[in-house]
Amino acid sequence: MAFAMMAMSLAAQDVATKPFTVRYIDENRLYQQYVVAQQYVELQNKLKNEFQQAEQKKRKEIETFYNQVQNKYQKNLYKTQKAFEADQKKLELMQDKAQKDMEAMQKSMEVQLNTEQMKLANEIDVFLADYAVRNDYDAILRKEASMFINPKWDVTDEVAEGLNARYNAANAPVAKGEPIVDGQAPKVEDEAAPE
């Protein structure tokens, strides 16, 4: 019991004497340097372009049909009022469908981007927690959330480097065969070995 009390006392003294260590990251710079963040921005741009192209295509289809209806009407090419009304109804249905399709596409994009953004944020948070423990930091702040932090406490480049190294290691192609040892020629397997 006395040993436990003494250990707790020593731990309390250590906490009291250890300086509080803080570092920070510049989130904008980190996103520019981290490969996965760059991929997220590329995905964002790709989805935005796809949405704009789909929207333009639907608008053009509707405008083309609208012009055909107007042209037929002006040239008295409709044989009956019913035929004219049918085309007007078709135009309304095209507009409704286009609007619903674009809303569904927008929602799908938002879900995909939110999922990817959450994965990205989680990867960074997990890395930062491990990085802080390994370096014995008490806190890692975001520069954007503070009024001023001395630039000497900036660890953005180091964190980006670590994140990229972890990403590259996780996505490296798997090597086949045995590792090459210095001074030893690699083994070559005979594909057409005699039987």
Side-chain angles (χ1 to χ4, degrees):
M1 177 104 167
F3 177 74
M5 294 288 272
M6 192 166 114
M8 285 175 52
S9 174
L10 287 172
Q13 283 178 344
D14 185 45
V15 169
T17 58
K18 180 185 172 288
F20 186 74
T21 54
V22 178
R23 297 295 182 267
Y24 77 88
I25 58 164
D26 180 332
E27 202 167 30
N28 292 328
R29 214 168 78 237
L30 178 64
Y31 272 52
Q32 290 171 353
Q33 294 178 25
Y34 182 29
V35 173
V36 176
Q38 294 167 3
Q39 291 170 347
Y40 173 78
V41 170
E42 288 170 9
L43 174 66
Q44 208 174 21
N45 291 335
K46 177 180 171 268
L47 292 176
K48 182 181 175 184
N49 287 338
E50 286 174 1
F51 182 84
Q52 289 172 343
Q53 288 172 359
E55 193 175 40
Q56 287 172 356
K57 182 180 178 191
K58 289 191 179 295
R59 187 178 294 123
K60 189 171 184 176
E61 288 170 357
I62 291 168
E63 285 175 4
T64 299
F65 186 70
Y66 172 80
N67 289 336
Q68 289 171 354
V69 171
Q70 287 297 101
N71 191 32
K72 281 174 76 174
Y73 182 77
Q74 289 170 355
K75 293 181 179 179
N76 289 324
L77 297 176
Y78 283 106
K79 304 243 187 249
T80 64
Q81 180 68 21
K82 197 171 185 177
F84 174 64
E85 288 171 0
D87 275 354
Q88 284 185 314
K89 182 70 175 171
K90 182 179 176 181
L91 183 61
E92 287 174 24
L93 291 172
M94 285 175 73
Q95 290 170 331
D96 288 346
K97 184 177 182 328
Q99 184 175 349
K100 287 176 183 168
D101 288 349
M102 296 315 298
E103 286 171 359
M105 188 176 185
Q106 173 113 26
K107 188 171 185 174
S108 173
M109 277 174 43
E110 287 171 3
V111 168
Q112 187 177 357
L113 288 173
N114 286 341
T115 301
E116 292 303 315
Q117 188 175 34
M118 285 171 50
K119 281 178 14 186
L120 173 62
N122 186 53
E123 286 175 15
I124 292 171
D125 289 347
V126 167
F127 180 87
L128 285 174
D130 180 57
Y131 175 80
V133 168
R134 281 186 286 120
N135 290 286
D136 200 27
Y137 298 146
D138 295 302
I140 298 178
L141 307 174
R142 285 186 166 85
K143 179 182 178 186
E144 293 77 11
S146 63
M147 297 297 285
F148 172 78
I149 303 179
N150 190 326
K152 73 180 181 178
W153 305 123
D154 183 355
V155 292
T156 306
D157 295 338
E158 195 174 316
V159 168
E161 189 177 305
L163 281 164
N164 285 328
R166 189 179 67 179
Y167 171 81
N168 291 335
N171 293 292
V174 179
K176 293 183 180 178
E178 297 179 22
I180 299 173
V181 180
D182 281 344
Q184 178 183 351
K187 289 184 180 179
V188 178
E189 292 183 24
D190 235 358
E191 290 180 14
E195 292 182 16

